[in-house]
Amino acid sequence: MKKLIFVTGGVCSSLGKGITASSIGALMESRGLSVRMVKIDPYLNVDAGTMSPYQHGEVYVTDDGAETDLDLGNYGRYTNSPLSKVNSITTGQVYQSVINKEREGRFLGRTVQVIPHITDEIKSRILAPGKEDDVDITIVEIGGTVGDMESIPFLEAARQLIHEMGKQNAVSVHVTLIPAVSGGELKTKPTQHAVKELQEVGIQPDALVLRSGEPIEEGMRRKIAGFTNVEFEGVVSAHDVKTTIYEIPLVFHEQGLDTFLLKKMNVESRHADLRPWQDVVRKFAEPKHRVRIGVVGKYMELHDAYKSVWEALYHGGIANQAAVEIVKIDSGRLEADNADMAQIFADIDGILVPGGYGQRGSGGMVKAARYAREQGLPYFGICLGLQIMVIEWARDILEWADADSTEFNPDSPHAVVSLLEDQIDVKSYGGTQRLGKSESILKDGTLIRKIYGGESVWERHRHRYEVSNAYRADLERTGLGIAALTPDGSLVEAIEWPDHPWGLGVQFHPEFKSRPISPAPLFKGFIGACVAHNAGGARAAHASD
Ligand code: GLN
């Protein structure tokens, strides 16, 4: 049995197609089915690696080092689908491979065209991740909005697959918006048009997921079913939830969406076991503690730039039964000489410095790290956040005021963070960083080893610069803990402050593997330390309510 579920969107973007696809995936898995997730991005970039976080939000990194759309992060948080470069399809990849084949002479004599050559390439890429024997269902999210020019070849490929495989093997779920006009009245017209637009490209949706602020009443759902040719059971209200986005699988299940889709596809399965999701929602809704985390970074205006970090912090909160409030602090703000650190961090229980690129704002991050180190405030440095710890230590403890990363000051006389030899002459920006999963060996007696509970760990990387080995001895001699290394000992993977309650930096990105059901150990540990820091403080959950 191999089934396909296509998830498309109408009316406008940002409706939550990713969460819809992920939640359907979670529901299928809760019934014991094996799921694969695929994201289609209709842009011409080959991958998301070179895109600014301002344009496109976070770049999500998979085990095999693919730099992908942040929706893959959602898939990873909701499902067990393995994620690698085959789970992310872009127009750029599709055209690149068809054009390469043309140059190799593989279409000799024929005219190479969008239909069938591009659509055939798309179809084979859609089917590839689900090829293994044990896979039951592949869920394919088509990015963009139906009606966009860019997505036409992908919708045509979806139409062909539904036609070839038969409606009982490939179904369509369309996500639309039910807006409220002044006075609060809900309007169905945009959905009516959005469905028509999908029908025009030859796809009849089997289910409609209706985004709205308020639950959509049965009467309105019946009316929508009537004018879209969708069965009433397939018309589902996806209203805003008060707790957490991890409640969406439960919202869909209560309305029978999983049962309906499985019936359509003729799939038998066990009853859904949704206890892990219910547990997540309950812990989220009934916190015993509250913590405020100051995240000091560069791309703070854009919420999606650190999507996986935010989610991992919430997961750490779930693991500690703590409500996590994130306070975004633009590192540039801390750079002014008169920035009052004690006041800025007055109500903060822990500081996190996430990944980032470029010199701007790095001085403010160094100041934040110094404040945390000196005040005994929990500090978690991720990638750039670790490099900042090293720079801060070298400037203050080793008294090298000019210590820096060559990324920020290529001429620093004390380049404590620098490029590896093999990165120095790299001319191309696409896919040339240290990317994907690799092993770190955790030293005995360190905090990080205690947190992971083992001597080795595999996490994902995305960076170009490293702690300079030339200065490793100086750092260690003055007490900075080098807590983890690559298996050959050549690269620093984790740094710890001595005599500090929780001051830890990692060169990798633990946020990419965090799930609400199994929070990343480092985020669990960090939030735990923040709870302890706050313990008995004015913000204990009940004192502040
Ligand atoms: N800019 C730093 C580097 O390239 C850190 C990267 C990151 O934080 N992801 O090494």
Side-chain angles (χ1 to χ4, degrees), residues 38-97:
V38 175
K39 174 73 195 285
I40 292 177
D41 279 303
Y43 46 67
L44 275 161
N45 304 60
V46 171
D47 63 35
T50 56
M51 284 193 217
S52 159
Y54 286 116
Q55 283 246 332
H56 201 67
E58 168 185 276
V59 173
Y60 181 79
V61 179
T62 57
D63 274 349
D64 66 341
E67 297 176 285
T68 68
D69 184 84
L70 54 78
D71 266 316
L72 268 80
N74 285 322
Y75 305 161
R77 288 184 277 275
Y78 283 80
T79 75
N80 295 305
S81 167
L83 297 171
S84 72
K85 58 177 180 302
V86 298
N87 301 77
S88 166
I89 305 174
T90 70
T91 301
Q93 288 166 22
V94 171
Y95 275 80
Q96 195 175 47
S97 65

Side-chain angles (χ1 to χ4, degrees), residues 181-400:
V181 289
S182 60
E185 195 189 340
L186 296 177
K187 289 294 180 188
T188 60
K189 188 79 80 188
T191 291
Q192 209 167 322
H193 287 293
V195 173
K196 239 189 218 145
E197 205 137 18
L198 189 61
Q199 288 164 339
E200 268 169 28
V201 297
I203 299 175
Q204 166 61 43
D206 297 281
L208 294 176
V209 169
L210 309 173
R211 284 286 295 119
S212 72
E214 298 300 319
I216 297 164
E217 303 297 330
E218 182 180 330
M220 182 167 280
R221 282 189 283 133
R222 283 204 185 277
K223 177 174 149 193
I224 291 170
F227 62 58
T228 57
N229 285 338
V230 174
E231 285 168 53
F232 169 67
E233 289 74 22
V235 182
V236 169
S237 167
H239 43 273
D240 292 348
V241 288
K242 293 203 174 54
T243 52
T244 152
I245 48 166
Y246 302 118
E247 193 182 338
I248 309 289
L250 303 177
V251 171
F252 286 174
H253 177 72
E254 276 156 27
Q255 298 178 71
L257 179 62
D258 44 336
T259 312
F260 175 77
L261 291 174
L262 291 173
K263 194 181 79 195
K264 278 261 146 197
M265 297 187 292
N266 229 339
V267 176
E268 293 205 1
S269 78
R270 66 165 199 229
H271 284 299
D273 176 6
L274 288 164
R275 279 171 300 181
W277 293 100
Q278 285 155 349
D279 199 41
V280 163
V281 173
R282 188 180 47 76
K283 284 191 185 144
F284 198 93
E286 297 165 8
K288 293 205 171 80
H289 316 279
R290 266 173 218 282
V291 287
R292 300 183 84 219
I293 308 300
V295 180
V296 178
K298 246 172 78 171
Y299 317 102
M300 288 297 145
E301 311 87 322
L302 187 83
H303 182 71
D304 278 350
Y306 291 115
K307 179 99 182 105
S308 294
V309 173
W310 311 143
E311 293 306 318
L313 283 169
Y314 294 133
H315 304 163
I318 289 167
N320 286 281
Q321 294 233 3
V324 173
E325 186 189 337
I326 294 169
V327 183
K328 297 176 189 167
I329 301 169
D330 189 325
S331 50
R333 227 184 96 198
L334 306 179
E335 288 186 340
D337 286 340
N338 61 355
D340 184 346
M341 305 298 279
Q343 194 216 335
I344 293 170
F345 293 118
D347 287 338
I348 298 291
D349 302 305
I351 294 177
L352 186 150
V353 175
Y357 294 82
Q359 195 272 339
R360 185 172 61 81
S362 60
M365 297 173 202
V366 170
K367 278 175 96 173
R370 176 153 317 155
Y371 182 82
R373 184 170 62 78
E374 291 180 345
Q375 301 298 317
L377 191 61
Y379 173 96
F380 189 9
I382 296 181
C383 206
L384 178 62
L386 168 143
Q387 298 171 2
I388 293 291
M389 281 173 94
V390 173
I391 296 167
E392 189 281 321
W393 183 273
R395 287 184 190 172
D396 196 46
I397 307 293
L398 286 160
E399 298 182 12
W400 299 333

Side-chain angles (χ1 to χ4, degrees), residues 138-207:
T138 303
I139 300 174
V140 187
E141 177 189 349
I142 304 184
T145 306
V146 173
D148 296 346
M149 248 165 72
E150 291 89 342
S151 45
I152 292 172
F154 295 106
L155 293 167
E156 169 59 15
R159 184 198 66 76
Q160 290 180 20
L161 281 170
I162 295 169
H163 177 71
E164 287 160 17
M165 293 170 63
K167 289 222 60 141
Q168 74 285 7
N169 293 316
V171 296
S172 151
V173 176
H174 199 39
V175 185
T176 73
L177 178 71
I178 303 288
V181 289
S182 60
E185 195 189 340
L186 296 177
K187 289 294 180 188
T188 60
K189 188 79 80 188
T191 291
Q192 209 167 322
H193 287 293
V195 173
K196 239 189 218 145
E197 205 137 18
L198 189 61
Q199 288 164 339
E200 268 169 28
V201 297
I203 299 175
Q204 166 61 43
D206 297 281

